[in-house]
Amino acid sequence: MNRLWAAFALTLLLLTGCSSGNSSTAMDGESIYKKSCAACHGDKLQGAVGPTLVNMKSKYSEAEVLKIINEGTKKMPGNLLDKEASEIVTKWLMEK
């Protein structure tokens, strides 16, 4: 009987470690930006191939930034991020 309880406890412990609850921890704006945007816009939002993204709040509304990320512009392709990631990055950019 003790082996059964030990096996049950071990199974619960392993399942807890496999839960998807931790998968969203990398879904913060800065991480997404560094992975998907920094190559063109610079690691400090300073611009590189793409324009600077410093102080976006003074230039665009949140809805406009989200639209640019989702639909792209003449030089930037759209749909590089999924809906959730686009919203997270937009909110993050508006705080910078």
Side-chain angles (χ1 to χ4, degrees):
M1 188 68 167
N2 285 339
R3 287 186 182 174
L4 180 62
W5 280 111
F8 178 73
L10 182 59
T11 302
L12 284 178
L13 183 63
L14 290 173
L15 289 175
T16 302
C18 295
S19 72
S20 63
N22 292 336
S23 66
S24 65
T25 57
M27 289 298 286
D28 66 280
E30 184 174 11
S31 296
I32 297 167
Y33 176 84
K34 286 182 178 180
K35 180 181 175 189
S36 302
C37 312
C40 293
H41 294 285
D43 60 343
K44 295 182 175 141
L45 309 174
Q46 77 276 15
V49 176
T52 181
L53 300 179
V54 175
N55 203 12
M56 293 296 284
K57 191 173 187 173
S58 71
K59 302 171 194 170
Y60 301 101
S61 71
E62 189 171 319
E64 290 170 322
V65 172
L66 185 59
K67 182 178 179 179
I68 291 168
I69 291 171
N70 287 329
E71 296 178 10
T73 63
K74 292 178 184 175
K75 295 181 181 180
M76 183 181 110
N79 299 313
L80 295 175
L81 302 174
D82 65 28
K83 181 181 177 186
E84 182 182 14
S86 296
E87 291 170 358
I88 292 169
V89 169
T90 297
K91 289 184 185 308
W92 181 78
L93 283 172
M94 297 307 281
E95 295 172 359
K96 298 293 162 194

